[in-house]
Amino acid sequence: MSKQEARKLTIIEELLAGRFNNDQAAELLDLSVRQVQRMKAEASKNGVLSILHKNRGRKPANALDHKIAETICRVYQTELTGYNFCHATDVLAEEKDIFVSVSTVSRYLKADGIRSPKAKRRPKKHRSRNARECEGEMVQMDASSFDWLGNGSYLHLHGAVDDATGRILALHFEKEETFEGYCELMFQMNDAGHLPREIYTDARTVFVYDSKRKKRLTLEEELAGKLEKQPHFARALRELNILHIVARSAQAKGAIERLWETLQDRLTKDMKRKGICTIEQANEFLERYIPYYNRKFAVQAASPVKAYLPKQDAFALQLMFARQETRKLDSGLSFSFNGQKYRLPLMSGNKKVPASAHDTITVATSNRIGMQVLYKGFVLPPELLKTQPKESIVQITLPDNCVEALPAQPQIRPKNRSPWFGYHGLFQSKKNRGDISADQLSP
């Protein structure tokens, strides 16, 4: 019996004893006088306990079957150990066909002595900003180092999430946080038609250089009017007219940081349950996982208008996000790159390549396009020149028994003509001059 029910019984008993009138009892119970009169009549006829609810002690019609409750506790302890209650509820619905609420799972697990492994932390104070109103207006990009496969490999997961909706636009695993990993995010977003207008990242050298310490322009470059040197990724964003914004703290890009917290808890367990143990399998699994995540966690943007940029040609985008370096053609219209000699082709389709000596070309290299040369609007695959290696001096080795047969060469020591040759180390005098020593001096 609850405290509220005990209080009700006490007031009705006092009412039957004449210590309270109907108005006073109605005020104490916060009921109408008519309701109190009905309760008084029921208690006088069938006893005071008759005024309690008639369903007390009965099993509710919508109560969960005890077999299902036992199944929830057994599956969690055997298969879902370490899952938070919300994640465990999703797995039970998807794989075990047990459709219950998170509060139901939490209630039965806590009654069985199981606590949620996800600790509640006090949030840090940080001035919040409003999310973008339109989807595609800004995308947050980052990478997270974590033991994603559970084997101590500590891969880097590169990700891009929309600021307005929290929707994942691209994910990709690499062994390290690399320029190629972020380029793969751009290719995935372009394939889906989700190129953003702004990109929000941290200040890693993949995105921005610290001009105070490195990558400074030389005096000649400044006089020539060149802009400050930028990383390849920043240069490609500038060519696409995508604004790059640098975050100075982790809290500033909170959407991507919250994404890592969720994926480090959920994605690792899902991949382990699916038996994924290699980086290739993990990247293939991400293609199916992204739509699942977006259906569950993405929200509606404030504005229904989508602000994505137009889709780019795949090969043109790969050229932009390749590593580009400049070279000069020599008098033979060839150039050197990574220790190899290359030359330009004479024709590109039906057009002649107008190459001249000492012209500057741009060499673009990546895993997707290989090596391409950008020159006066042409995209040319260079031709490798086969150079002959220099002849090495052949050293003839003689057998050991032939060494004695060779004539002995006289060892002539050259005469030392140094003015210091022959000087004594103590008196700095020549030995041949007959100088007396310290022992010959008279006492």
Side-chain angles (χ1 to χ4, degrees):
M1 183 182 300
S2 64
K3 291 182 179 180
Q4 186 176 3
E5 292 174 337
R7 181 174 179 271
K8 181 188 293 187
L9 292 178
T10 302
I11 294 174
I12 296 300
E13 288 177 348
E14 295 293 325
L15 178 63
L16 293 175
R19 297 186 182 90
F20 292 151
N21 56 34
N22 292 338
D23 293 336
Q24 293 173 338
E27 183 178 358
L28 293 173
L29 294 175
D30 196 17
L31 298 173
S32 65
V33 176
R34 186 175 179 180
Q35 183 68 15
V36 170
Q37 290 174 348
R38 284 198 293 266
M39 293 173 61
K40 182 179 179 182
E42 180 71 18
S44 301
K45 183 178 179 181
N46 300 321
V48 181
L49 295 179
S50 62
I51 65 173
L52 298 179
H53 202 283
K54 301 302 184 293
N55 285 334
R56 292 181 71 256
R58 295 181 181 178
K59 184 179 180 180
N62 59 347
L64 189 67
D65 189 0
H66 70 280
K67 295 183 179 180
I68 299 179
E70 292 176 356
T71 303
I72 292 175
C73 297
R74 177 177 51 80
V75 170
Y76 185 88
Q77 292 177 340
T78 57
E79 302 179 18
L80 306 179
T81 304
Y83 284 51
N84 65 67
F85 292 166
C86 183
H87 192 189
T89 304
D90 296 339
V91 176
L92 289 172
E94 294 171 6
E95 300 185 3
K96 305 298 181 181
D97 294 332
I98 300 177
F99 299 94
V100 292
S101 64
V102 178
S103 59
T104 301
V105 173
S106 176
R107 183 172 66 256
Y108 281 102
L109 291 180
K110 288 181 179 179
D112 203 26
I114 303 172
R115 299 296 176 184
S116 177
K118 190 171 184 180
K120 303 298 182 181
R121 296 182 180 179
R122 180 178 296 178
K124 295 182 180 180
K125 294 182 179 180
H126 182 77
R127 183 176 178 83
S128 302
R129 62 170 179 84
N130 294 326
R132 293 291 194 268
E133 295 185 356
C134 300
E135 181 181 352
E137 189 174 352
M138 186 173 74
V139 165
Q140 298 183 20
M141 296 177 66
D142 196 14
S144 174
S145 175
F146 191 72
D147 188 10
W148 297 100
L149 302 179
N151 55 8
S153 58
Y154 278 86
L155 302 177
H156 285 70
L157 179 59
H158 301 67
V161 59
D162 182 69
D163 187 76
T165 62
R167 178 184 179 186
I168 296 179
L169 302 182
L171 288 175
H172 182 69
F173 278 112
E174 287 284 347
K175 293 183 179 180
E176 299 292 339
E177 184 175 358
T178 60
F179 164 73
E180 288 77 10
Y182 286 107
C183 291
E184 186 64 30
L185 299 182
M186 298 299 299
F187 299 149
Q188 291 184 22
M189 289 189 291
N190 181 67
D191 292 341
H194 293 156
L195 280 181
R197 297 184 178 272
E198 301 174 2
I199 289 183
Y200 204 23
T201 68
D202 53 19
R204 288 192 174 271
T205 53
V206 176
F207 307 108
V208 63
Y209 286 142
D210 187 357
S211 58
K212 295 181 179 180
R213 291 183 293 179
K214 56 184 176 180
K215 301 299 180 182
R216 290 181 177 179
L217 293 176
T218 63
L219 180 60
E220 292 76 9
E221 290 174 338
E222 291 181 356
L223 294 177
K226 291 186 178 181
L227 300 175
E228 185 178 358
K229 291 183 178 179
Q230 289 184 321
H232 300 291
F233 196 89
R235 170 195 50 76
L237 293 182
R238 188 178 69 248
E239 295 177 2
L240 286 172
N241 293 324
I242 296 178
L243 178 63
H244 179 220
I245 306 175
V246 179
R248 300 301 177 183
S249 65
Q251 293 82 1
K253 46 186 180 65
I256 193 75
E257 297 296 339
R258 290 190 295 271
L259 173 67
W260 298 142
E261 184 180 2
T262 303
L263 293 185
Q264 288 174 5
D265 181 42
R266 284 174 165 259
L267 180 59
T268 53
K269 298 180 177 66
D270 290 338
M271 290 195 298
K272 184 178 180 180
R273 195 174 68 254
K274 299 294 182 180
I276 295 173
C277 56
T278 64
I279 188 173
E280 292 78 13
Q281 295 175 347
N283 281 323
E284 184 179 354
F285 176 73
L286 290 178
E287 298 178 3
R288 307 189 304 270
Y289 187 81
I290 291 175
Y292 161 76
Y293 179 94
N294 292 335
R295 287 194 303 269
K296 185 168 184 61
F297 293 103
V299 298
Q300 292 291 334
S303 173
V305 179
K306 295 186 178 181
Y308 292 113
L309 292 175
K311 186 176 180 179
Q312 302 291 322
D313 179 72
F315 183 73
L317 193 70
Q318 291 169 9
L319 282 176
M320 292 181 188
F321 283 93
R323 298 181 184 272
Q324 297 186 6
E325 300 182 21
T326 58
R327 292 291 187 272
K328 280 194 175 183
L329 298 177
D330 56 17
S331 57
L333 302 182
S334 60
F335 63 95
S336 298
F337 191 81
N338 289 341
Q340 298 287 340
K341 201 78 170 179
Y342 298 90
R343 68 180 179 184
L344 299 183
L346 295 177
M347 303 292 293
S348 176
N350 297 327
K351 296 183 180 180
K352 184 179 180 180
V353 179
S356 302
H358 309 298
D359 283 352
T360 301
I361 62 174
T362 301
V363 182
T365 57
S366 73
N367 296 331
R368 287 177 172 255
I369 65 172
M371 180 186 295
Q372 300 290 333
V373 174
L374 310 180
Y375 176 71
K376 294 184 178 180
F378 292 92
V379 180
L380 308 170
E383 300 174 357
L384 179 63
L385 288 176
K386 297 180 180 180
T387 57
Q388 295 292 337
K390 294 183 180 180
E391 296 182 359
S392 59
I393 300 176
V394 180
Q395 297 182 357
I396 302 176
T397 57
L398 298 176
D400 297 339
N401 54 2
C402 295
V403 177
E404 299 178 356
L406 294 177
Q409 298 293 334
Q411 296 183 357
I412 303 175
R413 187 176 182 180
K415 187 177 181 180
N416 195 330
R417 299 183 181 278
S418 172
W420 294 101
F421 180 72
Y423 276 80
H424 197 274
L426 181 60
F427 294 99
Q428 300 290 327
S429 60
K430 284 191 174 182
K431 297 178 180 179
N432 299 331
R433 289 186 179 180
D435 291 347
I436 62 176
S437 61
D439 298 336
Q440 296 173 346
L441 295 177
S442 60

